[in-house]
Amino acid sequence: MARPCHVALIVVDSSTAPVAIVEAQLKDIVQNLYNLMVQSFDHRGEPTQNAIKGEIQSLVQNMVRLSQSAPSVNIDIPPEVTSYVEASRNPDIFTREFVETVQRMNQMLKGRAEAYRLLQETLARDIIDGIPELKDDVTKTVEATGGKVPPPRAPVT
Amino acid sequence: MNPTGANGSIAQRDGEARKRSHEGKIVNGPASISDQVAQLPPELVHVAADAYHPLSKLLQRINQECFDQLNEVLQRMASLPVSHQANGALPNGLGSHGGASGGQENAESSKQKKLLMLRFAQANRAKYIKMLVLADWGKKSAGEISKLIDLFAWAKEQCFDQDAVDAQMEQLKLLSAHARQSNPDIRTALEILTTQKAEWLPDLGFVPPEPISSEKALTLLRYMDTSLTIRLTVHEKLPRHLQNWRVESGRATFTIETEFEFDVMSFVEDTSDQWHFIDFRLLFSPAPVLHVDSRIMFELKNIMDHNLAGEGGLEECFHFLHNFTLTHKISVLRSQAHALLQSGWDGSLRVDSPHRQLVLSYWLDKPGKKNWIEIGISRNKPKHGKVSWRGPSFPSLTARWFRQGTEVKDVDLKLDWNNLSAERILKRVISLHTQHLLQTTRQNMKFSTAIKATFSDFEPADCKLEATMGSSANNVTLSVEPASGRYILQPVNLLSAGAENAINRPQDALNPSNVVTQLLARSLLDLVHRCAQQLGWKQIGQRTLRLDVVKTAVKTEVLQFALYSLRGWGSEWAMAVTVDASGQSWWAFKMGTAGNNIKHVEKINMKNSRLDITRGTLAAIARVAVNTLSLYVNTEELRKRGQTYHTSDEFTRPRSTPTSQNVLRGWVLHVKTSELLAVNPGEEEWLQPVMRVVCHGQQLQSQKVWHIATGTMVPNVASDMKKLMASSPQSDFNFSDDGHFQILLNTPFGGEIISKLMSRLRDIDRLRSFATILQKRKMVLQSSSLQQVRFQYGHSLSATVKFEAGDAVKLEFDDQNPHMRVQPFLQNMINAPPIKSSVSGDTTNLDQFCTSLMITRPLLSAIATITDSNTKSFGSPYLLVHTINSYRLAYTNPICSFEIRPTRKDDRVLWVIEDSERNPIDLRPKEQRTPGFTRQENLKAALHGLFVKKEDRWWGVHSGIVAEIDGVREALKELHATVMTCYVEGGVKQPQPLAVNNGNQKQAKAAAPPAPTGKPNGHAPHNQNKAGGPQQRQSFKEGFNKAANKAKAKHDVITID
């Protein structure tokens, strides 16, 4: 689309900050969980247990923070993207494929529109040929819809 | 998107329009940004946010989920406490390495814990990483992609619109084809119509065949016939079912009865060429007519020609057509069945057609298992797989009938496969089913005679069971409704409606046979009850009397009963009607006191047990009951008395209508007269040996039961009796000329008449024998009845004998009658028990009485005359009657007395009058018993003079007089005159009697004022005599017994004719 969308830009700008916060929090949580994994895998008794305790506390704290900041995130995710991510696929691939699809559709629409224009012209010409009395009406109609009546065909001998 | 397409142009136009519409504001202004903006196409429709997933919500939910899982994991870890403790107890670092001995389990559980924690952390980490990715993507490209999505949605919509336009254009194209006017070749048409041909049409140059003449055609057909016949008879091997063929019109026709026939032809005489199929006709009805040029024939011909060309030839052709026909038959039946569904069978019939079968389920609403008919094609292959000598069998239509889920095999359904009718088949089967139901009901019913079964093989509505119980009006018709299978009970009334419901109800329906029986019984009883109420019969005992008591009493399987109390029957007897399987029967019950037991039952036998129950019948039954009961009572009485009897029935024909049935009037009890009436030995039988006793029912007013006993007398007795009866008509005794007589007897209800009859008979007998005696003694009967007989036995002397209840007979005389003196003796004589005498058989008491009467008549009348005429001395002479045969005539002035007694000489009876002076003192009268008593001398002389006199009829015999019976009057007269000559004026002087005697005398005086002594003379003797009679009787009483014995001893003396 040629026209830039100002409104959308504003939304994106205003939402950047919460997203960044959320991202950071998410990263923290991921780190917490990773630590938990490591600690429970390599368990060394009391210190580890205390560490786990602390880790879990930290996890819960992070999660609380996340839930506090989450409502401020104003991003809508298309369902297709969600399922992409759920299936552990890269959402950028979706972006690329979608862009291609829209391109293809644009081309098709253009082709069809041109074909209709051609059909209109041909039809107008033939109607005028067949029923010359309708020439004025047909011309008016065609021009009103943005087309133009082609010159009459050479008569069949 | 470039504004090059149609939309672009539209957008442009819109822009211009918008510019025009905003002209007022933007006039004269240079092209500003706002203009540019205004020229832009309209904004794309934004896809609503609810089509997206907001990341915030996702984050929150994942967070929550993670927290929940964490909690859960911690819980589960906490639920493995041992490991936790062990872990804590062990020294640092040793738990995982050195605790081999005690920590085996701990290691295991801690491993589990680790695993739990690991899994949780890993799974959630993955989730959070995904969240991270999403957040990253959202930050980077969410805004752009959402615009792209809007665009995509717009393009999609465009695409859709275009598709719609395409479809519209296609439609237009198709429809415009109809708008086309075809281009007729009018020129060619005109040419052909005028000249019959058009030169420009191509001519193929065919040569038309020469027309075949009739003769030629005939010859050709004959040739073909011959050739076909040769082929069929010589070359073809036809199977059994194709043997029925004929050849005509150049074609061979094979006929299969009731199914079809088909025509084939051939061009050769042998089997070198195939047959050609020509025509096919169905031979059953209803069947469609297949036209030769119809589509189906075209198809059929193709198939057939193919079949005929093949190996099978005619055989295969046959099989195909056979199957075709059978299937078609089923189809016809199916369509008929469907037509039935739209007519009256809707709701009760279901038509199914699995495969080639047709299943007609009928009686859908009937409770119980399903019923249906299956019509299908049976292959008829023999079970053992062998082919019979008649060739292989071929399929045929078969019908199977399933009655309540089981196939009924041993029944011939008799279905007509030639004229197909689904309704007929259905009706046939339903008829059979109905018959089965009704037959079962009939067999279950206990009585078979009263059931009339009407069955129709093809019309279920005509199958019915008419059961009748009791009267012919009480009938019930059981039938089955053809469509629904419900039982129908007719006639419809309150009772039958309930019963019908009971049979038809889906759960625990009752057995129709029992219901019908009970229904009949109840309606019969109802009928009886209605009539009984009209007659005023009171129903009793339905509370107190139980059915089983009645059952045991009447010894039949009673279904219903009712008890009625009839007017005049009293409380002891009740009329009962019981209804058992064979109808109603009537009984008289002798009820116990409490009303709950039955002492005796007496069946009221009706000759015709199928009487209609009407008021008249019931009244008749009541009459019969009275008769029956009276018979019962009387026969019981007879049995008690040990007498023989026999009974027979008596019918009378009602007068009103000769056609109506005989009504049993009652019974006749034949009793032996000899047993009822003791006959004196030697006496002739005067009654015919048998008497009939007939009950004549109850009187309306008195409610007493009347009986008439009829007997016949021996003819000669009858004539006497007639005379006897002629004089005094009787109210309750009727005598006819031919010796028949009727006695009317009445008793209260339930009382016996035998004793009454016996006493009446005895009365008659007494009357009769008395009459005979009177006749014999030539006495005049003045009047007679069964109660009394009055007869005259002398001049102006008459006596009345009264026969009273019981044995006693009362004798009555007029006041003036001289026999008044001996009345008690005579009465006793009659009432004395009869003594059998060897001398004479004719010794009835009455006879004796008559004889005595005759003998004593002159004597007594003479004495009466004497006493009446005596005016000189009051009360003298007086007559002492010792017995009827012994008298004493005593005088007080002069004192003398005479004994008078009859004696027999030769064959005569004579009166002997003896002077009692000759008797010993003890036997003298008390006046003469005084010691020193002497008779007056003049009297002595006078008597002596008298006692030597001899007259015709009496004569003196020294001590007395002997007189003939007739002469005793004169003798006494003479004696009286003689005695009276010695009458002493002023009384007789006699020595003083003893004090005792005096006392006795005084007593006698006091008791009897008219005593002979101490009274002034000249008093009217009549009165004295009148009063004296009973007195004498009184005083005689004492000596009566002795005297009677004496009299008996002297019977032979006085019984001389």
Side-chain angles (χ1 to χ4, degrees):
Chain A
M1 176 149 340
R3 188 166 57 93
C5 183
H6 302 289
V7 184
L9 280 176
I10 292 161
V11 171
V12 169
D13 288 340
S14 65
S15 69
T16 315
V19 169
I21 295 165
V22 166
E23 270 190 314
Q25 285 167 348
L26 282 173
K27 276 176 188 160
D28 287 349
I29 292 171
V30 168
Q31 188 57 47
N32 284 142
L33 289 168
Y34 179 74
N35 289 348
L36 268 178
M37 279 167 69
V38 171
Q39 280 158 358
S40 54
F41 177 74
D42 191 14
H43 197 279
R44 288 181 186 281
E46 194 75 25
T48 325
Q49 202 163 345
N50 290 335
I52 287 179
K53 216 181 276 175
E55 205 62 49
I56 289 175
Q57 278 168 359
S58 152
L59 172 67
V60 173
Q61 276 170 10
N62 282 330
M63 273 156 61
V64 169
R65 260 185 250 130
L66 177 63
S67 23
Q68 278 163 355
S69 56
S72 57
V73 177
N74 203 0
I75 293 174
D76 288 340
I77 310 289
E80 291 84 356
V81 177
T82 320
S83 42
Y84 251 74
V85 175
E86 208 176 345
S88 310
R89 293 169 70 184
N90 191 350
D92 291 333
I93 297 169
F94 170 78
T95 312
R96 200 179 67 222
E97 281 177 355
F98 193 69
V99 169
E100 281 167 8
T101 308
V102 174
Q103 271 177 351
R104 267 205 310 279
M105 189 160 276
N106 190 26
Q107 283 170 8
M108 189 187 74
L109 281 176
K110 183 171 184 292
R112 281 179 90 161
E114 281 168 359
Y116 287 135
R117 178 63 66 195
L118 196 61
L119 178 65
Q120 184 192 39
E121 284 171 5
T122 315
L123 198 59
R125 192 185 64 205
D126 285 0
I127 287 171
I128 291 168
D129 277 357
I131 314 162
E133 303 87 48
L134 290 177
K135 188 183 175 183
D136 292 346
D137 290 334
V138 170
T139 312
K140 203 187 282 175
T141 309
V142 171
E143 281 172 358
T145 53
K148 67 177 177 48
V149 180
R153 247 192 309 189
V156 179
T157 51
Chain B
M1 181 180 163
N2 294 326
T4 46
N7 283 313
S9 63
I10 291 166
Q12 245 176 354
R13 251 185 331 115
D14 278 0
E16 283 166 7
R18 196 175 288 167
K19 197 159 72 180
R20 269 197 301 276
S21 65
H22 293 287
E23 222 165 3
K25 285 183 181 174
I26 315 168
V27 77
N28 296 331
S32 64
I33 297 168
S34 64
D35 272 352
Q36 283 170 5
V37 169
Q39 279 176 1
L40 285 172
E43 189 137 342
L44 288 178
V45 180
H46 185 68
V47 176
D50 55 2
Y52 296 92
H53 292 163
L55 185 63
S56 55
K57 199 176 275 180
L58 189 65
L59 283 170
Q60 275 174 322
R61 292 214 176 140
I62 292 290
N63 222 7
Q64 185 64 45
E65 196 183 40
C66 178
F67 185 72
D68 291 348
Q69 282 181 6
L70 176 66
N71 275 338
E72 194 188 324
V73 165
L74 290 178
Q75 292 280 345
R76 281 171 66 182
M77 283 168 78
S79 70
L80 301 167
V82 184
S83 63
H84 200 82
Q85 256 180 344
N87 255 344
L90 278 171
N92 202 7
L94 282 175
S96 55
H97 303 290
S101 60
Q104 200 60 39
E105 283 178 37
N106 299 347
E108 191 64 33
S109 58
S110 87
K111 212 183 279 176
Q112 277 183 10
K113 277 185 183 180
K114 283 179 195 169
L115 206 60
L116 276 173
M117 183 52 84
L118 264 176
R119 277 187 186 151
F120 158 74
Q122 195 170 16
N124 283 287
R125 186 169 163 267
K127 276 185 200 163
Y128 279 101
I129 288 170
K130 279 173 188 170
M131 289 300 105
L132 211 54
V133 170
L134 270 181
D136 189 46
W137 181 84
K139 191 177 66 182
K140 200 167 58 194
S141 49
E144 299 300 319
I145 283 295
S146 92
K147 282 178 217 159
L148 207 57
I149 285 171
D150 292 347
L151 187 62
F152 180 75
W154 178 83
K156 264 274 202 241
E157 198 188 327
Q158 288 294 317
C159 200
F160 181 75
D161 288 347
Q162 283 175 351
D163 285 346
V165 168
D166 287 353
Q168 222 171 345
M169 281 199 299
E170 189 191 1
Q171 197 67 25
L172 189 68
K173 172 76 180 77
L174 285 173
L175 293 174
S176 63
H178 297 290
R180 188 168 59 108
Q181 191 183 17
S182 51
N183 186 16
D185 189 357
I186 292 168
R187 190 164 148 252
T188 313
L190 277 174
E191 190 69 33
I192 288 175
L193 283 174
T194 48
T195 64
Q196 293 199 336
K197 61 174 187 176
E199 284 168 9
W200 53 90
L201 286 176
D203 184 4
L204 297 176
F206 288 136
V207 180
E210 280 183 41
I212 298 176
S213 68
S214 309
E215 293 84 11
K216 212 174 168 185
L218 189 62
T219 318
L220 190 64
L221 284 174
R222 276 184 184 153
Y223 168 76
M224 286 185 75
D225 284 357
T226 314
S227 136
L228 282 170
T229 312
I230 290 168
R231 177 169 180 174
L232 282 171
T233 46
V234 178
H235 300 290
E236 287 286 344
K237 253 193 211 166
L238 293 172
R240 181 171 56 89
H241 38 270
L242 286 177
Q243 293 291 352
N244 184 11
W245 55 266
R246 64 182 192 274
V247 169
E248 58 187 21
S249 307
R251 55 177 81 175
T253 307
F254 292 93
T255 310
I256 286 86
E257 285 295 334
T258 76
E259 291 194 4
F260 61 93
E261 59 181 19
F262 65 99
D263 300 345
V264 289
M265 61 172 284
S266 169
F267 298 111
V268 292
E269 268 184 23
D270 51 19
T271 52
S272 59
D273 192 19
Q274 71 161 106
W275 291 94
H276 295 276
F277 182 80
I278 298 178
D279 201 0
F280 173 62
R281 291 175 297 279
L282 292 166
L283 289 184
F284 58 90
S285 74
V289 176
L290 304 174
H291 292 287
V292 176
D293 48 358
S294 61
R295 174 76 186 250
I296 180 160
M297 279 308 283
F298 179 73
E299 297 283 345
L300 203 59
K301 188 167 165 52
N302 279 340
I303 300 167
M304 286 296 107
D305 283 344
H306 180 73
N307 281 344
L308 289 168
E311 285 288 313
L314 285 171
E315 176 88 31
E316 199 173 329
C317 178
F318 161 77
H319 280 304
F320 182 89
L321 291 176
H322 183 60
N323 269 324
F324 176 84
T325 312
L326 293 183
T327 312
H328 189 66
K329 277 185 172 178
I330 290 178
S331 308
V332 168
L333 285 174
R334 182 184 305 131
S335 59
Q336 283 176 345
H338 279 292
L340 284 183
L341 279 182
Q342 280 155 15
S343 61
W345 295 83
D346 189 22
S348 60
L349 182 70
R350 196 176 64 233
V351 182
D352 300 310
S353 40
H355 311 301
R356 262 204 298 185
Q357 282 184 335
L358 175 65
V359 176
L360 300 173
S361 311
Y362 60 96
W363 290 1
L364 294 179
D365 294 338
K366 194 167 174 68
K369 290 181 179 168
K370 298 273 173 276
N371 310 294
W372 72 89
I373 319 162
E374 270 183 22
I375 299 170
I377 295 170
S378 145
R379 310 186 76 181
N380 288 337
K381 278 199 175 160
K383 277 177 189 154
H384 45 75
K386 288 179 193 161
V387 176
S388 83
W389 58 272
R390 299 200 296 182
S393 54
F394 49 90
S396 66
L397 282 181
T398 43
R400 293 195 294 171
W401 173 32
F402 289 81
R403 189 176 62 207
Q404 298 197 319
T406 42
E407 186 179 355
V408 184
K409 288 192 171 163
D410 51 347
V411 68
D412 182 13
L413 290 174
K414 289 186 198 153
L415 301 182
D416 184 3
W417 298 120
N418 195 15
N419 295 308
L420 297 173
S421 165
E423 184 163 23
R424 209 160 45 224
I425 291 172
L426 207 57
K427 279 190 169 178
R428 164 71 183 152
V429 170
I430 290 177
S431 300
L432 286 170
H433 197 152
T434 308
Q435 283 181 31
H436 168 76
L437 289 178
L438 295 182
Q439 291 278 21
T440 315
T441 307
R442 182 182 174 161
Q443 282 160 12
N444 287 344
M445 278 163 104
K446 284 166 197 152
F447 52 107
S448 54
T449 48
I451 299 179
K452 192 175 140 217
T454 316
F455 291 137
S456 160
D457 279 348
F458 294 99
E459 182 51 62
D462 289 347
C463 296
K464 55 190 169 196
L465 221 55
E466 285 176 78
T468 313
M469 186 188 277
S471 85
S472 57
N474 181 36
N475 57 355
V476 164
T477 307
L478 180 73
S479 52
V480 176
E481 210 274 309
S484 66
R486 282 174 62 88
Y487 286 105
I488 302 174
L489 286 172
Q490 279 171 320
V492 178
N493 53 37
L494 199 63
L495 288 174
S496 71
E500 195 179 302
N501 204 19
I503 317 177
N504 285 322
R505 69 173 166 233
Q507 278 92 31
D508 42 87
L510 300 177
N511 192 339
S513 52
N514 292 345
V515 168
V516 168
T517 314
Q518 280 290 348
L519 174 63
L520 281 171
R522 285 177 66 188
S523 64
L524 185 62
L525 203 64
D526 207 40
L527 202 61
V528 170
H529 194 62
R530 232 176 297 148
C531 294
Q533 276 183 329
Q534 288 175 345
L535 284 172
W537 294 7
K538 256 191 288 170
Q539 195 172 4
I540 52 162
Q542 63 266 67
R543 296 269 166 76
T544 49
L545 204 58
R546 292 213 318 278
L547 185 63
D548 46 353
V549 176
V550 179
K551 273 185 190 174
T552 36
V554 303
K555 297 185 185 64
T556 46
E557 197 57 30
V558 176
L559 298 168
Q560 302 269 343
F561 76 96
L563 249 63
Y564 296 100
S565 163
L566 268 66
R567 193 165 151 258
W569 274 43
S571 60
E572 195 179 24
W573 289 94
M575 170 83 94
V577 55
T578 62
V579 180
D580 57 13
S582 60
Q584 81 275 30
S585 43
W586 295 87
W587 306 80
F589 282 0
K590 193 171 188 178
M591 303 296 296
T593 44
N596 56 5
N597 58 341
I598 301 169
K599 281 185 184 164
H600 178 78
V601 291
E602 189 65 30
K603 178 151 190 175
I604 301 162
N605 282 315
M606 303 300 285
K607 219 28 169 198
N608 185 354
S609 62
R610 297 247 166 268
L611 284 175
D612 286 341
I613 293 175
T614 58
R615 216 160 46 169
T617 317
L618 256 63
I621 287 166
R623 283 198 297 276
V624 174
V626 170
N627 281 353
T628 312
L629 273 183
S630 109
L631 175 67
Y632 161 69
V633 170
N634 290 320
T635 50
E636 276 296 296
E637 181 66 24
L638 285 171
R639 199 176 299 134
K640 239 184 267 171
R641 289 168 186 260
Q643 294 178 346
T644 49
Y645 63 91
H646 78 273
T647 56
S648 64
D649 292 337
E650 186 189 61
F651 288 96
T652 52
R653 184 173 284 276
R655 269 162 288 168
S656 54
T657 46
T659 50
S660 70
Q661 55 213 359
N662 278 349
V663 174
L664 187 67
R665 277 304 295 186
W667 43 268
V668 187
L669 185 65
H670 298 270
V671 288
K672 277 196 182 169
T673 49
S674 57
E675 286 176 344
L676 291 179
L677 187 65
V679 177
N680 293 325
E683 194 179 356
E684 275 178 39
E685 290 278 342
W686 60 278
L687 282 170
Q688 298 287 359
V690 172
M691 270 193 92
R692 294 153 43 88
V693 180
V694 177
C695 177
H696 279 260
Q698 265 179 310
Q699 284 298 101
L700 268 180
Q701 263 82 44
S702 62
Q703 297 296 337
K704 286 198 169 178
V705 184
W706 291 79
H707 293 80
I708 292 180
T710 314
T712 313
M713 296 188 190
V714 176
N716 51 2
V717 179
S719 58
D720 294 348
M721 206 64 189
K722 189 182 165 193
K723 276 182 229 154
L724 207 60
M725 284 294 132
S727 55
S728 57
Q730 294 287 313
S731 62
D732 53 358
F733 183 80
N734 185 24
F735 188 77
S736 60
D737 295 350
D738 49 358
H740 292 299
F741 63 95
Q742 284 99 31
I743 307 169
L744 187 62
L745 299 158
N746 61 346
T747 56
F749 188 86
E752 50 93 20
I753 54 144
I754 299 299
S755 54
K756 268 197 178 182
L757 176 64
M758 287 170 78
S759 68
R760 297 307 296 276
L761 274 179
R762 202 189 48 221
D763 288 352
I764 296 168
D765 184 39
R766 215 150 45 181
L767 178 65
R768 180 201 61 82
S769 55
F770 195 44
T772 316
I773 291 161
L774 290 178
Q775 203 178 23
K776 204 158 67 181
R777 302 287 174 212
K778 311 228 168 25
M779 291 180 190
V780 181
L781 194 67
Q782 284 180 325
S783 70
S784 65
S785 70
L786 284 175
Q787 276 80 41
Q788 62 175 27
V789 174
R790 186 176 170 81
F791 62 95
Q792 201 176 356
Y793 61 95
H795 181 66
S796 76
L797 289 177
S798 61
T800 308
V801 176
K802 283 193 172 173
F803 303 117
E804 293 192 333
D807 292 336
V809 174
K810 212 167 150 193
L811 185 64
E812 279 181 10
F813 291 104
D814 295 340
D815 289 343
Q816 304 293 338
N817 197 309
H819 275 95
M820 205 65 187
R821 296 169 188 277
V822 292
Q823 189 258 356
F825 291 99
L826 289 170
Q827 188 166 309
N828 288 337
M829 181 187 279
I830 299 171
N831 287 332
I835 293 173
K836 296 210 173 147
S837 164
S838 54
V839 179
S840 166
D842 193 9
T843 54
T844 61
N845 293 339
L846 282 170
D847 199 24
Q848 276 186 28
F849 162 68
C850 287
T851 317
S852 308
L853 215 55
M854 289 310 286
I855 290 170
T856 55
R857 185 189 64 185
L859 175 78
L860 287 171
S861 55
I863 289 170
T865 319
I866 289 165
T867 50
D868 284 356
S869 62
N870 185 15
T871 54
K872 282 184 181 170
S873 88
F874 175 73
S876 173
Y878 60 93
L879 185 70
L880 287 174
V881 185
H882 297 307
T883 72
I884 194 77
N885 289 328
S886 169
Y887 306 88
R888 172 178 290 169
L889 188 67
Y891 288 85
T892 52
N893 187 8
I895 297 170
C896 62
S897 62
F898 305 92
E899 305 289 332
I900 305 169
R901 55 183 171 80
T903 185
R904 190 182 220 180
K905 187 173 186 190
D906 300 333
D907 56 348
R908 286 184 303 164
V909 174
L910 299 174
W911 283 107
V912 178
I913 307 167
E914 278 184 321
D915 193 345
S916 51
E917 199 179 22
R918 301 281 180 92
N919 289 354
I921 287 186
D922 289 352
L923 297 178
R924 290 180 194 173
K926 61 175 182 284
E927 292 90 348
Q928 299 174 36
R929 259 180 276 164
T930 18
F933 167 78
T934 48
R935 181 168 279 191
Q936 290 169 256
E937 284 307 313
N938 57 346
L939 181 61
K940 265 188 190 173
L943 285 174
H944 189 75
L946 182 67
F947 289 166
V948 294
K949 268 191 179 175
K950 286 218 192 289
E951 291 291 326
D952 279 349
R953 302 207 283 191
W954 61 273
W955 52 93
V957 282
H958 286 289
S959 61
I961 301 169
V962 172
E964 289 181 16
I965 289 176
D966 294 344
V968 75
R969 187 192 302 260
E970 289 158 41
L972 280 174
K973 217 173 171 181
E974 199 70 23
L975 179 69
H976 181 63
T978 309
V979 171
M980 288 320 278
T981 51
C982 304
Y983 179 72
V984 182
E985 290 296 334
V988 182
K989 298 282 189 293
Q990 285 293 329
Q992 261 324 93
L994 288 170
V996 176
N997 284 345
N998 272 341
N1000 282 346
Q1001 225 169 350
K1002 273 171 197 167
Q1003 275 182 344
K1005 264 189 246 169
T1013 51
K1015 282 276 174 185
N1017 294 332
H1019 274 263
H1022 296 286
N1023 294 336
Q1024 297 303 317
N1025 265 347
K1026 262 187 227 168
Q1031 246 179 7
Q1032 281 170 346
R1033 263 177 258 149
Q1034 288 278 338
S1035 55
F1036 292 147
K1037 275 265 163 95
E1038 302 156 10
F1040 170 73
N1041 286 333
K1042 279 184 257 168
N1045 289 339
K1046 270 189 198 166
K1048 274 169 214 157
K1050 287 176 184 168
H1051 277 170
D1052 5 345
V1053 179
I1054 54 170
T1055 50
I1056 290 171
D1057 196 0

